[in-house]
Amino acid sequence: MKMRRGRRRPAGAAVAVVFLSAGAAASAVPGGVRPGDGAAAERVTVRTDAGLVRGVRSARYRIFQGIPYAGAPKGAYRWAAPRPVRPWKGVKDAAKPGALCPQVPSQYAQVSSEEEDCLFLNVTAPAAVRHRPAPVLVWIHGDGSVGAGSFFDARRLADRGVVVVTVNYRLGVFGGFAHPGLKGSGTFGLQDQQAALRWVRRNAAAFGGDAGNVTMEGSSFGAAAITGHLTSPGARGLFHRAVLSSGEGMMDLPAGTMGPDVPGYPWFVWRTARETEDISAEMTSSLGCTAPDPARTLRCLRALPVKRILKVPYIMNAFQVMAYGNETLPRHPARALREGRFHRVPVLSGATLDEHRTFVGMLYDAVGKPFTGDDYGRALTKAFGGRADAVRARYPLTQFPSPAIAWSAVVTDRMWARGTHAQHMALSRYVPTYAYEFADRNAPMYLPLPGRFDFGAYHAGDTPYVFEEPEVSKRFTAAQRWLSDTMTAQWAAFARTGTPNGPGLPVWRPYRTADPRPYTQSLAPDRIAPVDYAREHALGFWRRFP
């Protein structure tokens, strides 16, 4: 799909809500030690390559927060590659999180920040440094326009012997801005994440971690970013396994599926450099920095206060895409995966059973705007045109409790499941791939939405089963606690060995394209067992669509 400057709204500019994560929605910043951690906390000091940091140790954990891994991207360094941290003298306090990267409150995350000095990471490690280095897991949070690494409590994984690093990175326009002649356009958030990986390579051993056994994990936008890193030359050798949860790396975007005014596009997250420049030009056109000379325009934009930039409507959400055709992402990542042009590391990859209920609920029923039968007809026509009747016949309203659930099923199958299936097919041709579907339809909802709606096994609903979220965990049933414990053990096993199998864990076979029904593990409180993913999501039907 070609775009001409000034003729149409850039793809992605109208997306008001795209990516979600449990941490940002809950906006809970974990402290160093909580009740149940064991003996009274004490301070503990570790030497990093930039200086000493002092965190908190209990009987079970060592937690270090707010460690800078790159210099402040301010002034002339706004929209530039991350630069090294200036070494410090003395001991830097690491008992509290660092500043959030610039962001504005959203419908589901009432957090905000105007601080650009925000490139911090957090380390959660077992209390004792063992003789054998521990596997390291680097968590890339979702959303793309809100959130922070400190929102994710990694003590469950540390209990399993994993050193976990959670990362802040530039969000929205600060991470995805593009401009003619600007090196790194559209990839500054990705570059931050790679800078964090290089920090891990240099410093993992100081925290008891193994720099030669690093797993990258992300959900939603974070998983899409990891798809990019799989194909990025700059990430070569920086990680050795990948976990992709609800990733959009091989998804398209049918018209109207993310909202009635959101146009369709062949790819959900990937844009060319020119397209990203178009988005940037439209989003910043009201800031008073237009000039014939691109360098002059950039100087003006870099001099603007963060608060002024954040006042532009949708400017953060419009940049939940990533540019390719540059030094960071030379090739289209989805195509590179299909061609086998990616870093050959084992992958654990999956989605939720009811991905799109989150977005339909947030736009309609859960906020007091019921999605009607007429809305269903209009949505089908907008998304599928002349094939709308065929889709309606396959998903008749009579088979669903409401039009909203029917539309959610259509988009879950057409967009999320088809994209996830394509990702598994591409990856498994070249690397060990373990596929899953999170299927707990009673997973506690963490989004602060006022209305009642059956969200089912919703987008990112699996995250609190691996990362501690007190408001969710206290509502777990005994069966859900068992599922959480099992998933955490499987994730830790994968980080340690490259397979989610281990003593006492359910058998999990690799996904193989040659199998009549490639193995996908269903994760539910009452059943962990294989599921026929293609049949469950009507992928045979959707194969007939372009």
Side-chain angles (χ1 to χ4, degrees):
M1 181 183 297
K2 294 183 179 179
M3 296 178 58
R4 289 178 287 180
R5 194 180 297 272
R7 293 295 182 90
R8 59 172 296 190
R9 176 168 45 210
V15 180
V17 176
V18 178
F19 307 103
L20 308 173
S21 69
S27 66
V29 180
V33 178
R34 288 181 176 174
D37 281 352
E42 61 182 27
R43 303 305 298 273
V44 58
T45 300
V46 166
R47 180 176 295 280
T48 72
D49 62 336
L52 295 169
V53 295
R54 182 175 291 133
V56 178
R57 178 170 60 193
S58 69
R60 296 166 62 188
Y61 312 102
R62 290 172 298 135
I63 297 177
F64 303 81
Q65 299 186 93
I67 302 174
Y69 68 87
K74 304 174 70 169
Y77 297 101
R78 178 187 290 172
W79 302 311
R83 56 201 175 97
V85 173
R86 180 177 296 177
W88 57 84
K89 296 180 180 180
V91 181
K92 181 176 289 294
D93 183 63
K96 296 180 180 179
L100 310 184
C101 286
Q103 53 194 277
V104 294
S106 73
Q107 177 186 12
Y108 55 90
Q110 294 300 311
V111 292
S112 62
S113 175
E114 297 175 10
E115 179 55 66
E116 286 184 278
D117 187 2
C118 65
L119 299 185
F120 301 104
L121 53 76
N122 316 285
V123 179
T124 303
V129 178
R130 300 174 183 174
H131 177 70
R132 183 176 182 179
V136 178
L137 187 145
V138 178
W139 170 254
I140 307 299
H141 70 80
D143 290 296
S145 61
V146 297
S150 57
F151 291 168
F152 296 87
D153 186 334
R155 291 176 301 161
R156 283 184 186 151
L157 288 163
D159 269 338
R160 302 285 182 173
V162 179
V163 173
V164 182
V165 179
T166 64
V167 181
N168 290 9
Y169 58 92
R170 281 174 282 184
L171 306 169
V173 65
F174 297 93
F177 177 79
H179 192 70
L182 176 61
K183 187 175 181 180
S185 279
T187 67
F188 299 112
L190 289 174
Q191 291 185 57
D192 292 345
Q193 293 162 21
Q194 291 184 9
L197 287 171
R198 291 192 293 272
W199 183 95
V200 168
R201 184 171 60 184
R202 299 191 305 270
N203 293 286
F207 297 87
D210 183 356
N213 187 7
V214 175
T215 297
M216 283 195 84
E217 180 183 0
S219 177
S220 193
F221 184 82
I226 295 173
T227 302
H229 293 305
L230 283 168
T231 71
S232 174
R236 184 181 300 277
L238 294 180
F239 64 103
H240 313 93
R241 325 196 194 290
V243 180
L244 310 175
S245 299
S246 298
E248 306 90 355
M250 299 193 76
M251 274 173 39
D252 63 351
L253 181 64
T257 51
M258 296 305 297
D261 298 324
V262 179
Y265 194 78
W267 299 102
F268 199 71
V269 292
W270 313 120
R271 299 293 184 270
T272 66
R274 175 61 184 271
E275 288 165 344
T276 315
E277 288 176 8
D278 285 345
I279 295 172
S280 301
E282 178 159 329
M283 287 291 104
T284 60
S285 62
S286 64
L287 291 172
C289 287
T290 55
D293 178 13
R296 182 179 175 186
T297 299
L298 182 60
R299 286 195 298 271
C300 176
L301 290 171
R302 281 174 165 163
L304 290 175
V306 170
K307 186 175 183 178
R308 175 72 182 90
I309 296 173
L310 293 179
K311 285 184 176 180
V312 176
Y314 304 120
I315 196 167
M316 295 299 283
N317 290 308
F319 291 90
Q320 296 189 69
V321 296
M322 290 167 267
Y324 66 91
N326 48 58
E327 187 175 297
T328 304
L329 296 178
R331 300 182 180 89
H332 190 301
R335 293 170 184 156
L337 255 59
R338 286 200 182 105
E339 296 166 0
R341 298 185 179 188
F342 63 92
H343 308 312
R344 304 294 176 84
V345 301
V347 176
L348 178 67
S349 171
T352 69
L353 177 59
D354 303 303
E355 287 280 357
H356 209 66
R357 289 196 196 184
T358 301
F359 305 98
V360 174
M362 289 181 65
L363 289 172
Y364 300 105
D365 291 46
V367 293
K369 301 176 182 178
F371 187 84
T372 67
D374 289 341
D375 291 330
Y376 185 56
R378 285 189 290 268
L380 291 174
T381 299
K382 188 176 188 68
F384 307 113
R387 300 192 179 194
D389 288 343
V391 179
R392 183 191 290 272
R394 180 62 181 78
Y395 297 82
L397 284 176
T398 55
Q399 291 186 4
F400 299 92
S402 71
I405 297 297
W407 178 234
S408 299
V410 168
V411 184
T412 292
D413 293 355
R414 167 61 180 80
M415 193 168 77
W416 295 91
R418 196 168 86 154
T420 299
H421 175 74
Q423 180 171 275
H424 293 161
M425 294 288 284
L427 290 166
S428 63
R429 290 189 178 99
Y430 301 97
V431 299
T433 301
Y434 295 88
Y436 78 89
E437 178 173 74
F438 178 76
D440 184 1
R441 280 188 156 156
N442 294 306
M445 168 52 65
Y446 53 73
L447 299 176
L449 299 173
R452 300 184 66 180
F453 182 68
D454 182 5
F455 283 97
Y458 58 95
H459 179 74
D462 51 343
T463 302
Y465 283 66
V466 178
F467 288 88
E468 177 77 19
E469 173 43 59
E471 291 304 309
V472 174
S473 299
K474 72 182 183 182
R475 290 183 280 154
F476 278 166
T477 64
Q480 287 172 326
R481 283 194 294 273
W482 170 82
L483 176 62
S484 174
D485 290 343
T486 303
M487 288 176 59
T488 304
Q490 291 169 323
W491 265 234
F494 181 79
R496 185 173 295 106
T497 67
T499 169
N501 292 291
L505 295 175
V507 174
W508 192 333
R509 296 188 178 91
Y511 187 101
R512 295 190 175 97
T513 57
D515 293 345
R517 296 178 183 175
Y519 194 97
T520 298
Q521 190 87 303
S522 175
L523 303 172
D526 59 344
R527 180 178 181 270
I528 294 181
V531 63
D532 189 339
Y533 190 79
R535 181 178 180 180
E536 183 179 49
H537 293 285
L539 296 184
F541 171 80
W542 291 111
R543 286 192 194 100
R544 303 199 294 270
F545 284 65

